[in-house]
């Protein structure tokens, strides 16, 4: 059913129900990104609430496969992995997201940077956590840091 497929695409980011012509129309109109963003947002919310983490990871990995250079999508995958306690797997994802976010908005850079610094700290890589935390404070001197990161900088 076309309406149900569109609902699945926009709300869940699930493009499997879209017919090839509809998917081509989305791509041609430059709207396929919206489907990825929807799935990424859903994955983040599921992880944030601790609900259905395997499904959140599946959504996040699908998003990264479709937009592998999107720092927000990469951050979502890192967050889903982090939420599952898989810090070592989250680290290279966050590092890639942080590098790709250098031209993103301050809010995006801040969020990804905080995730990266917390991951370094969780993996007992204090020098890297300190470096990223200092970079974040250089970007935004008024940034409120979590206590564990505040302890890294004088």
């Amino acid at each position: 059913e076309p309406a149900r497929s569109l609902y699945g695409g926009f709300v869940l980011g699930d493009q499997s129900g879209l017919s090839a012509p509809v998917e081509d129309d989305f791509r041609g109109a430059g709207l396929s990104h919206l489907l990825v963003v929807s799935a990424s947002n859903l994955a983040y919310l599921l992880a944030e609430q601790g609900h259905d983490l395997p499904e959140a990871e599946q959504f996040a990995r699908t998003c990264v496969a479709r937009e592998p250079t999107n720092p927000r999508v990469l951050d979502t995958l890192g967050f889903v992995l982090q939420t599952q306690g898989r810090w070592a797997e989250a680290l290279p994802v966050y590092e890639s997201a942080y590098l790709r976010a250098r031209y993103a908005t301050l809010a995006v850079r801040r969020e990804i940077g905080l995730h990266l610094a917390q991951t370094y700290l969780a993996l007992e890589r204090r020098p890297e956590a300190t470096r990223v935390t200092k970079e974040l404070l250089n970007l935004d001197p008024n940034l409120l840091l979590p206590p564990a990161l505040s302890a890294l900088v004088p």
Side-chain angles (χ1 to χ4, degrees), residues 91 95 98 113-137 145 148-153:
L91 180 60
E95 288 175 327
Y98 190 65
L114 286 171
H115 287 158
L116 177 59
Q118 290 168 326
T119 300
Y120 279 134
L121 200 55
L123 294 172
E124 299 180 9
R125 293 177 61 174
R126 191 179 176 95
E128 293 98 330
T130 302
R131 176 186 51 82
V132 172
T133 301
K134 286 180 178 179
E135 288 173 7
L136 293 172
L137 287 172
L145 295 170
L149 294 180
S150 289
L152 297 174
V153 291

Side-chain angles (χ1 to χ4, degrees), residues 16-120:
S16 64
L18 298 177
S19 66
V22 170
E23 195 166 348
D24 288 342
D25 288 344
F26 270 95
R27 199 173 295 112
L31 296 174
S32 60
H33 171 74
L34 293 176
L35 302 175
V36 172
V37 169
S38 295
S40 182
N41 288 342
L42 179 60
Y44 197 96
L45 287 172
L46 287 171
E48 191 172 53
Q49 296 174 3
H51 294 301
D52 206 349
L53 296 175
E55 185 173 31
E57 183 177 348
Q58 183 180 2
F59 281 135
R61 289 192 184 281
T62 298
C63 293
V64 169
R66 292 185 184 273
E67 291 192 17
T69 61
N70 184 325
R72 297 288 307 252
V73 168
L74 289 164
D75 183 64
T76 295
L77 176 57
F79 184 72
V80 170
L81 294 169
Q82 170 192 325
T83 302
Q84 296 176 72
R86 294 161 57 192
W87 297 93
E89 288 178 67
L91 180 60
V93 178
Y94 279 144
E95 288 175 327
S96 180
Y98 190 65
L99 286 173
R100 294 178 187 286
R102 69 178 162 258
Y103 301 112
T105 65
L106 178 60
V108 170
R109 292 176 73 194
R110 193 171 43 219
E111 180 178 2
I112 293 169
L114 286 171
H115 287 158
L116 177 59
Q118 290 168 326
T119 300
Y120 279 134

